[in-house]
Amino acid sequence: MKTPLKNSVTASIMLLAIGAWAAESTKLPKLVDLGADKCIPCKMMAPILKELKTGYAGRMEVEFIDVWKNPGAGKPYKIKLIPTQIFFDAFGKERFRHEGFFGKEDILAKWKELGVDLKGKAGSGIVRETPVAADTRLRDTICFMCDGNIDPKTKVVVKGQAEQRLLCSPHCYFIYFSSIVGTDPKAEEAKVSVTDWTSDKMAPATSASYLYGMDAKGRPTVKAFADKDAATKEQQTSPGNLVTWEVLRSKELAARCAFCDRAVYPEDACGVKFGATHGYGCCTHCAMGVAARLGQDIEVEAKDGLTGEPIRVKTLDGQIASLEPASAIAWFGQLKDPSGKWVSAGCFKQGFFVNEANLQKWLDARPAMTGRQITVAQALADKMKLSPEQIAKACKLGECK
Ligand SMILES: [Zn+2]
Ligand SMILES: [Zn+2]
């Protein structure tokens, strides 16, 4: 399908000096599509260009020029028809041009035929299969859930048959609680002890009193007390409400990941919008999974794992429709399971970054972390290929693969 170019544009193009554009240089191969938003084949090109722009961010530049709205920008390319796609290599040299609609696979095949390697940059993405430095922390100082250091003032212990699970805080306990399947909640809670804030001794969780406050970021702070009077005394110097275990539980379980159903604090979570509803993903990858779980288009508002800068992703029919900034990338934290297979390292080890430099800095501070850099499109694709059964088991302890 082809649409003749408007006469005025053609005429002025004829007069244009050759090579006016050639001075511009670029380090990446570049695809320029010249069209108009009202031409039908051009409209068909639009989603393809979007996919290429986001899916090949950092590997290829994709530019759309509307030659009806902006004839001046189209002139240097001396096109005869719209849409026209022009392929420039990394040195800015025109290698090929195509007139009319051109499919995504055909575009990628053409780059390959031209000998332009679009995988090169992605292949050099960060991969860390072995830790830069071993994690030398003692096992009983590490939170079973988040892998963070356990604060002895807020430690929670869950007694198991063979071993006990240590958690850094009541919040991590409720994340754990929302990640277990097939256990009777009451029986589970009977196994839990919390650290008494005053004496640092362990006390049964269900009969303790909790001073529930808030830090400067809006995250709840939870202090446990075996003795209610001690809690009342602490409340005088440290504001908060005294609540029972039941109230604490209902507050902690109120906000959930819309993909894996884990308890989240909204302050830590990734925002997800689906239809008119706002929800949370407990991590960036879970947020993408909401599109798979609900079968809906979603908008994700993530924060750069290092700087907190916003990263916005919109999906359309299970694919990326837009990514801001286009340079944003994902880190897929992985571990080798006992059989040597790479598996997800869990929600606490995932993240999005506005660029590779930020990811590298984040990794530099986490020498024990292993995994690989992937595209945001890949993070979505990984979730879209899950079956409903796999989604139901996602992030559940012992079930997540
Ligand atoms: Zn923790
Ligand atoms: Zn989740």
Side-chain angles (χ1 to χ4, degrees):
M1 275 190 277
K2 299 173 186 189
T3 304
L5 192 62
K6 277 191 175 171
N7 292 340
S8 59
V9 179
T10 319
S12 49
I13 282 170
M14 301 298 281
L15 300 168
L16 210 101
I18 298 165
W21 183 82
E24 191 182 321
S25 72
T26 167
K27 282 182 210 159
L28 291 175
K30 184 173 179 177
L31 180 73
V32 179
D33 180 74
L34 298 111
D37 62 357
K38 289 191 180 65
C39 118
I40 290 167
C42 305
K43 277 190 199 168
M44 290 164 59
M45 289 301 299
I48 293 171
L49 297 170
K50 264 190 179 173
E51 272 182 51
L52 291 170
K53 191 168 183 141
T54 51
Y56 287 82
R59 294 181 273 169
M60 157 171 63
E61 278 184 61
V62 178
E63 188 185 1
F64 171 71
I65 297 171
D66 190 319
V67 297
W68 288 355
K69 284 186 186 156
N70 193 4
K75 276 181 196 175
Y77 298 96
K78 299 187 293 170
I79 56 164
K80 298 191 212 70
L81 295 161
I82 57 168
T84 290
Q85 303 83 33
I86 311 180
F87 293 64
F88 294 95
D89 64 21
F91 306 99
K93 184 171 182 272
E94 179 177 334
R95 300 290 303 277
F96 179 73
R97 64 171 65 193
H98 176 270
E99 293 175 339
F101 174 80
F102 209 24
K104 184 179 171 185
E105 293 312 312
D106 293 328
I107 290 171
L108 294 174
K110 181 52 75 178
W111 280 121
K112 203 173 169 190
E113 187 193 314
L114 295 169
V116 176
D117 180 15
L118 298 176
K119 290 201 191 84
K121 188 87 195 313
S124 68
I126 302 165
V127 178
R128 197 196 267 171
E129 296 197 338
T130 46
V132 171
D135 190 345
T136 54
R137 294 176 297 169
L138 294 170
R139 199 155 173 259
D140 61 1
T141 64
I142 305 170
C143 177
F144 172 76
M145 207 64 222
C146 73
D147 206 34
N149 294 328
I150 294 178
D151 178 350
K153 297 291 282 180
T154 57
K155 182 167 86 173
V156 175
V157 179
V158 183
K159 278 205 187 85
Q161 279 146 339
E163 54 166 355
Q164 54 182 16
R165 303 233 194 271
L166 304 178
L167 299 147
C168 67
S169 60
H171 180 52
C172 263
Y173 166 72
F174 285 104
I175 298 175
Y176 166 83
F177 181 79
S178 58
S179 310
I180 51 177
V181 280
T183 340
D184 171 25
K186 283 272 166 256
E188 189 61 34
E189 291 184 345
K191 296 189 266 180
V192 185
S193 12
V194 291
T195 308
D196 175 59
W197 187 261
T198 326
S199 68
D200 291 352
K201 288 186 180 138
M202 300 313 289
T206 51
S207 58
S209 297
Y210 297 88
L211 181 59
Y212 188 91
M214 193 198 281
D215 72 11
K217 284 183 178 170
R219 287 179 96 253
T221 55
V222 180
K223 295 175 185 173
F225 296 86
D227 172 28
K228 199 176 172 192
D229 292 341
T232 311
K233 202 178 160 204
E234 174 74 14
Q235 194 182 20
Q236 286 158 11
T237 51
S238 171
N241 291 307
L242 278 191
V243 297
T244 60
W245 174 255
E246 282 72 26
V247 172
L248 179 67
R249 185 213 292 127
S250 69
K251 290 206 79 66
E252 284 281 338
L253 298 180
R256 304 291 195 105
C257 173
F259 175 68
C260 77
D261 211 34
R262 279 185 182 194
V264 297
Y265 281 168
E267 296 74 20
D268 302 336
C270 182
V272 193
K273 197 178 163 204
F274 34 100
T277 308
H278 288 262
Y280 306 107
C282 68
C283 70
T284 49
H285 295 222
C286 270
M288 303 306 284
V290 176
R293 183 175 179 181
L294 302 181
Q296 285 186 36
D297 298 333
I298 59 165
E299 289 180 39
V300 170
E301 176 128 6
K303 296 181 203 102
D304 179 291
L306 183 78
T307 61
E309 288 165 81
I311 296 168
R312 294 186 184 86
V313 192
K314 287 184 189 172
T315 74
L316 181 68
D317 298 331
Q319 305 226 7
I320 304 286
S322 71
L323 174 64
E324 290 172 54
S327 59
I329 45 150
W331 173 255
F332 183 24
Q334 291 176 298
L335 294 169
K336 258 188 193 169
D337 75 2
S339 73
K341 201 177 125 202
W342 284 101
V343 294
S344 169
C347 298
F348 288 96
K349 305 283 180 68
Q350 316 302 337
F352 286 179
F353 299 86
V354 296
N355 54 40
E356 200 174 298
N358 278 15
L359 167 60
Q360 187 61 60
K361 276 185 211 155
W362 184 78
L363 283 171
D364 289 346
R366 289 163 180 76
M369 180 82 85
T370 50
R372 63 197 65 242
Q373 177 184 332
I374 60 172
T375 61
V376 172
Q378 190 61 48
L380 175 63
D382 286 347
K383 291 288 186 275
M384 293 310 297
K385 70 184 181 206
L386 298 177
S387 67
E389 293 73 28
Q390 287 171 315
I391 290 172
K393 289 178 176 179
C395 312
K396 299 289 181 285
L397 291 180
E399 305 275 359
C400 184
K401 291 283 174 289

